[in-house]
Amino acid sequence: MSERVIPLVDQRLAALSAAVPGTPVPATGTLLDRMHRPLRDLRISVTDRCNFRCSYCMPKEVFDKDYPYLPHAALLSFEEITRVARIFVAHGVHKLRLTGGEPLLRKNLEILVAQLAELRTVDGKPLDLTLTTNGSLLARKARALKEAGLQRVTVSLDGLDDAVFRSMNDVDFPVAQVLDGIAAAQAAGLGPVKVNMVVKRGTNEHEILPMARHFKGSGIALRFIEYMDVGATNGWRMDEVLPSAEVRRVIASAFPLVPLDHSAQGETAERWAYADGSGEVGFISSVTQAFCGDCNRARLSTEGKLYLCLFASNGYDLRELVRGGASDEEIGSAIAHIWQGRADRYSQLRGTLPAAAESGRKRVEMSYIGG
Ligand code: SAM
Ligand code: SF4
Ligand code: SF4
């Protein structure tokens, strides 16, 4: 086997300045990028730390005790996050997803949830407010999150077999506690709960059918995610990607499936229903079937940088504006200007980009900007 070279780069330092344009750009509730994609979905990372070390995301060799996590003062405060989110909402965002790192590690997260739950879309509706978690702390926190106004959760779970799960999270965390977390989320009314499984060939494909069987008929939608080449530390290789079409074939061999329509524009998952009416599964195929054409997602890093794509190298420093005394209008104009210039579509271009340029290109880590 060839040796993997894992570059150690700190992309967080490479910030782009978020310039306030000379001519203000008023918030109209619709902001289009260069490919006419509206801004609708904001993913907010609330911490760059995690209690798991999934090898596809935060491999232990890199994210060890000497890793330079951000100091607390660098993180946006809850008030700063809420202010920035409000400005995004005025530009048409109607879905907020809290993520990380592991978002439930951020102390008193329910206070942030309560603040965000107060926001209203431009047409006066509550936002779709959700959170992605590894589920390890969910049993303890589900009720408080629900009471604070969180609507739904997505839990990441890569297998049911305890040994497989412990080895994938690489901190020996037992699967039973995540299953307790999922049950607590359902009991608290944080539904419909979704479960995301990253499938890595040679690691957990034998967990596909047990996972499908377990969640079928439970009211939980299981979604299979193709292992992606995000970041620069996971040693990604194409031969470890199991294409969604193959995953679907495995499931359909045991449980016949029928295709469903996409539920919303910008929806990342291709949805299929069990033919017997016992629920649905989804496939997120960023590698084999790019969905950049209607990508309406922006990402706000833990320290307030705006990223226009999961595979971006640099983010725009909104914190500089927030802490530098800029008005809401100025920050809103800067965001508008940045989004209007957006042409990112990495997944569509994957494979067509010059290998030399790509191999040297820095890429932000998923644990820093969230999924
Ligand atoms: N810690 C939380 C969790 O695991 O749900 C939230 C952050 S995590 C970065 C968000 C999602 O990204 C998870 O569902 C995780 O499985 C997914 N993810 C991380 N690295 C990935 C990779 N290389 N390919 C595909 N999905 C990945
Ligand atoms: Fe942590 Fe989530 Fe990344 Fe796993 S996928 S290491 S749980 S941030
Ligand atoms: Fe959106 Fe970038 Fe993913 Fe394409 S590659 S769907 S533009 S985040």
Side-chain angles (χ1 to χ4, degrees):
M1 208 171 91
S2 64
E3 204 176 303
R4 294 185 189 189
V5 178
I6 298 179
L8 272 172
V9 275
D10 191 350
Q11 303 90 342
R12 300 170 308 179
L13 301 174
L16 300 168
S17 174
V20 177
T23 314
V25 188
T28 60
T30 300
L31 199 56
L32 299 178
D33 73 5
R34 273 162 56 191
M35 293 166 64
H36 303 283
R37 298 170 297 188
L39 171 59
R40 293 282 180 247
D41 183 334
L42 179 65
R43 302 188 173 194
I44 303 172
S45 174
V46 293
T47 177
D48 60 343
R49 291 164 199 252
C50 186
N51 53 343
F52 283 12
R53 286 291 175 276
C54 309
S55 61
Y56 52 72
C57 178
M58 296 182 80
K60 246 181 186 163
E61 321 76 84
V62 177
F63 294 88
D64 58 11
K65 63 175 182 19
D66 298 322
Y67 186 81
Y69 294 102
L70 297 166
H72 192 73
L75 312 190
L76 291 188
S77 68
F78 290 166
E79 286 67 30
E80 288 170 335
I81 292 175
T82 306
R83 179 179 176 210
V84 172
R86 182 180 296 112
I87 297 170
F88 271 95
V89 167
H91 278 305
V93 162
H94 53 59
K95 178 170 174 183
L96 297 179
R97 176 177 296 279
L98 299 179
T99 177
E102 174 45 44
L104 298 185
L105 289 182
R106 181 89 185 245
K107 273 207 193 95
N108 302 319
L109 189 72
E110 56 282 3
I111 295 177
L112 174 64
V113 169
Q115 291 176 9
L116 296 174
E118 296 278 302
L119 301 179
R120 292 293 174 266
T121 63
V122 279
D123 41 7
K125 299 197 183 107
L127 296 173
D128 184 4
L129 183 56
T130 172
L131 170 137
T132 302
T133 173
N134 63 25
S136 57
L137 301 168
L138 197 52
R140 256 182 272 165
K141 304 212 168 178
R143 187 177 297 273
L145 290 167
K146 175 69 188 179
E147 282 166 5
L150 189 71
Q151 289 161 356
R152 299 183 290 117
V153 290
T154 298
V155 182
S156 305
L157 176 63
D158 298 331
L160 283 177
D161 179 89
D162 197 46
V164 171
F165 184 67
R166 282 176 191 257
S167 118
M168 284 190 79
N169 63 54
D170 216 7
V171 292
D172 210 25
F173 196 87
V175 74
Q177 282 190 42
V178 176
L179 294 174
D180 287 349
I182 292 172
Q186 274 193 303
L190 285 170
V193 174
K194 291 178 185 164
V195 168
N196 280 354
M197 172 178 177
V198 174
V199 185
K200 214 174 153 187
R201 197 197 286 276
T203 303
N204 65 339
E205 72 257 53
H206 48 289
E207 288 295 300
I208 295 168
L209 267 185
M211 287 281 284
R213 194 172 292 117
H214 182 85
F215 290 108
K216 189 171 177 291
S218 66
I220 290 173
L222 174 61
R223 288 127 44 103
F224 297 90
I225 305 182
E226 285 177 348
Y227 171 40
M228 289 186 285
D229 48 338
V230 278
T233 60
N234 64 9
W236 182 88
R237 292 198 329 229
M238 186 66 198
D239 61 4
E240 289 178 330
V241 177
L242 191 70
S244 290
E246 280 187 45
V247 179
R248 203 179 64 234
R249 266 196 297 278
V250 171
I251 298 172
S253 67
F255 310 115
L257 294 171
V258 287
L260 290 171
D261 286 342
H262 275 211
S263 56
Q265 227 218 341
E267 168 78 72
T268 49
E270 185 189 305
R271 300 166 57 222
W272 290 68
Y274 290 114
D276 65 5
S278 60
E280 67 175 76
V281 282
F283 301 92
I284 301 177
S285 320
S286 164
V287 179
T288 60
Q289 248 191 306
F291 37 78
C292 302
D294 59 359
C295 177
N296 53 22
R297 292 174 289 285
R299 292 176 164 86
L300 185 64
S301 80
T302 316
E303 54 178 341
K305 295 201 180 100
L306 168 61
Y307 286 85
L308 301 178
C309 176
L310 196 48
F311 298 89
S313 301
N314 303 114
Y316 295 84
D317 192 356
L318 296 184
R319 191 186 65 188
E320 197 180 28
L321 293 180
V322 169
R323 295 194 179 164
S327 66
D328 286 5
E329 289 68 27
E330 286 171 327
I331 298 171
S333 288
I335 291 170
H337 189 62
I338 293 165
W339 187 265
Q340 285 169 340
R342 176 184 188 244
D344 300 62
R345 52 187 185 109
Y346 172 80
S347 285
Q348 272 180 356
L349 301 176
R350 179 191 283 114
T352 67
L353 300 165
E358 274 306 293
S359 71
R361 186 168 75 87
K362 294 176 291 173
R363 275 190 204 157
V364 72
E365 292 297 323
M366 191 108 162
S367 55
Y368 170 65
I369 51 166

